Amino acid sequence: MLDRHDTDILIIGAGGAGLFAALHAQRAAPDRKVTIAVKGLLGKCGCTRMVQGGYNVALGHGDSVERHFMDTIRGGKWLPNQDMAWRLCKTAVERITELENEVGCFFDRNTDGTLHQKAFAGQTADRTVHKGDLTGIEIINRLMEQVLARPVERMEEHRAVGLIPAKGGDGLAGVLFIDIRTGRFRFVRARTVLLATGGGPTMYRYHTPSGDKSMDGLAMALRAGLPLRDMEMVQFHPTGLLAGEGTRMTGTVLEEGLRGAGGHLLNGHGARFMFDYDDKGERATRDVVSRAIYAEMRKSNASPSGGVYISMAHLGPDNVRQKFKGMVKRCADSGFDLAAGQVEVVPTAHYFMGGIVVDPDTRTDMPGLFVAGEDAGGAHGSNRLGGNGVANSTVYGGIAGDVMAAEARRDGALRDPDEAAIEAEIARARHPLGRKPAPVQPLRDGLMDAMWEDVGVLRTAERLERGLAQVREIGAELQETGVAGDDLGFNLTWHDWLNLRSLVEISEVIGTAALWRENSRGAHFREDFPETGELETSYFTVARAGASGLDVSREDVEFSIVRPGESLLEEDAETMVAAQ
């Protein structure tokens, strides 16, 4: 049941981070073997493909890398790793040129030929480059073409289930996979490994990623003993389509550009409400808008399906149809007229700011393991600006590819694996096959309800403790739930079970970190601790798997570039001096 395979550079995931890493690694080390392993099909899965809004990059017109950086730090409520945030903003300028001139992406342009950049909430300049509202498809399609044109080995429909340490404990030996097509296990040794499986907070009732996204990367890292930071920070996009329970379209994003273009949010009584919560109105940051919508829902000001409305008609239906073709069509497919009518929306779990602790070169505490994209924590702090996500994936995917290639060319022999660890991970994955089969979906429904109700947009200690108890109960019941194991090839029920186990493990970390942080920052809001806390003494949470369960600690944020009360922008400094 176990096949073995060797490569030099192994990349897990084929979203923006994984594909960019493959291109950079193959270019930097053409004499080394580069392998991409992906749970689905290359270019057809992952979160980057689903990106509508665009790509943040400072390209002038009053904008600058410094301004982009300050927006990122302030948007993240002073919790980001500043070295990572700076590198993100600075390298994005190089990466957008690479995307156009080398990868072949076509983005929308102004009449003078310059790149068109639209407004996104929480930003002090229009800096979001886009391809209509289908930016992610453009980026992934072009990246896929480039990867397919190069000698990059592909392992499609391979599910990663365990990070396997070296026999001597001196780093990572490789990764254990399940070949979904056959059900066989495959161990792949590699000199360097990139974890780029993406996020996917699909443990919530309303969520934007596809259902196969299940936090596998973070779950594997947790079991391997790696530290995870900011795990309480789950971003809810304010405007997920509310299309009813009978469609998977519910929860999908109606992107930020709608509000940036001047869209209005209306409660169930038809009244605009955002200026009651923030003087930026609909263009406040995602965490603020999500809480405002949730508050309206709790005040019985909800729309018939339990959310609020987004209205664009006042901007001109023809104008909306031209600028937002993808979303207008998506809404029409679900029976709604985005251009001329009103569409019901609800906060939807969208992005994970938390992740594995890495340095700005994407290295982890485990030699040989690198992390990029949504699996990595630090760049966004407690809140991600719209448009910074795909920029983060491509920036750090490219960095990872370069660094991994250099190490792969320098390192000697492949590490021998800890065979006992392989056997343990195989036994763990096969756990449900020896038990009496029972439905898995009711357990996943229970998890989504528990997380939405008790570990969601607004939190209290009482609700967090109740939610954690439910998560643990679901986890225990899952361990007793079996799956028919007579045919393991494309045994999707088995993979549903494995998805749910990863989601349960990470849900417990989210709830535990949220209970531990007794203040409110960005995406994490405690109604029983609503104060932000002193910015000068900002800290981030660090969670590890301990011998008796999860251990959560805190580490001080290092203000390596700018401190609270300071700014890299001249006009900000002048305002601060005047205020003093």
Side-chain angles (χ1 to χ4, degrees), residues 270-410:
R272 285 183 76 183
F273 58 87
M274 272 309 306
F275 284 100
D276 295 339
Y277 298 91
D278 192 280
D279 58 11
K280 297 184 183 70
E282 283 86 356
R283 290 185 66 172
T285 54
R286 290 175 173 180
D287 56 316
V288 173
V289 181
S290 292
R291 286 196 297 273
I293 292 173
Y294 197 81
E296 290 294 303
M297 292 161 59
R298 292 207 307 190
K299 291 177 182 176
S300 299
N301 290 336
S303 59
S305 296
V308 298
Y309 296 107
I310 189 165
S311 176
M312 303 293 294
H314 60 282
L315 299 175
D318 290 340
N319 177 48
V320 174
R321 291 188 190 101
Q322 180 184 1
K323 287 186 175 179
F324 302 104
K325 294 177 183 177
M327 278 181 291
V328 168
K329 184 178 186 304
R330 188 176 307 116
C331 288
D333 289 344
S334 298
F336 306 106
D337 186 352
L338 177 64
Q342 296 177 351
V343 178
E344 289 183 87
V345 293
V346 67
T348 179
H350 181 52
Y351 191 93
F352 209 69
M353 277 79 71
I356 301 161
V357 174
V358 297
D359 71 10
D361 281 335
T362 73
R363 288 187 175 87
T364 70
D365 287 352
M366 178 179 280
L369 179 65
F370 300 77
V371 183
E374 203 168 340
D375 279 332
H380 308 297
S382 64
N383 188 43
R384 178 181 68 86
L385 296 179
N388 268 5
V390 68
N392 180 62
S393 293
T394 54
V395 163
Y396 279 104
I399 290 169
D402 292 335
V403 175
M404 291 167 66
E407 289 214 1
R409 300 190 77 177
R410 184 171 58 246

Side-chain angles (χ1 to χ4, degrees), residues 248-282:
R248 292 194 177 184
M249 294 303 294
T250 287
T252 57
V253 163
L254 298 183
E255 60 111 334
E256 195 122 340
L258 296 177
R259 291 183 290 116
H264 292 170
L265 292 174
L266 311 176
N267 63 24
H269 306 297
R272 285 183 76 183
F273 58 87
M274 272 309 306
F275 284 100
D276 295 339
Y277 298 91
D278 192 280
D279 58 11
K280 297 184 183 70
E282 283 86 356

Side-chain angles (χ1 to χ4, degrees), residues 44-180:
K44 303 299 182 183
C45 60
C47 291
T48 305
R49 185 175 183 82
M50 302 171 73
V51 169
Q52 299 170 38
Y55 189 113
N56 284 348
V57 55
L59 293 177
H61 304 294
D63 202 2
S64 65
V65 171
E66 289 80 5
R67 182 175 295 280
H68 187 185
F69 171 79
M70 289 306 303
D71 286 347
T72 299
I73 297 302
R74 288 169 175 156
K77 304 298 186 287
W78 293 90
L79 291 190
N81 177 310
Q82 294 193 1
D83 294 330
M84 292 180 67
W86 176 260
R87 197 165 188 183
L88 164 64
C89 299
K90 182 175 184 294
T91 311
V93 180
E94 305 167 19
R95 201 66 87 229
I96 202 71
T97 302
E98 184 180 353
L99 279 165
E100 282 206 298
N101 297 341
E102 298 181 34
V103 177
C105 291
F106 286 89
F107 300 115
D108 289 359
R109 292 187 174 273
N110 300 307
T111 54
D112 64 358
T114 58
L115 282 168
H116 182 263
Q117 294 178 274
K118 60 185 175 182
F120 258 28
Q123 305 189 58
T124 57
D126 296 353
R127 65 167 63 97
T128 307
V129 171
H130 62 105
K131 173 73 170 179
D133 58 355
L134 299 171
T135 311
I137 290 176
E138 175 67 14
I139 291 173
I140 287 296
N141 283 354
R142 303 292 83 78
L143 284 172
M144 177 180 66
E145 291 167 357
Q146 294 292 335
V147 169
L148 293 178
R150 287 165 170 74
V152 175
E153 182 182 46
R154 304 195 306 275
M155 289 172 46
E156 296 179 295
E157 294 180 319
H158 275 68
R159 180 198 192 104
V161 292
L163 302 175
I164 305 301
K167 183 166 57 178
D170 59 342
L172 183 68
V175 181
L176 181 68
F177 294 89
I178 298 172
D179 182 341
I180 295 173

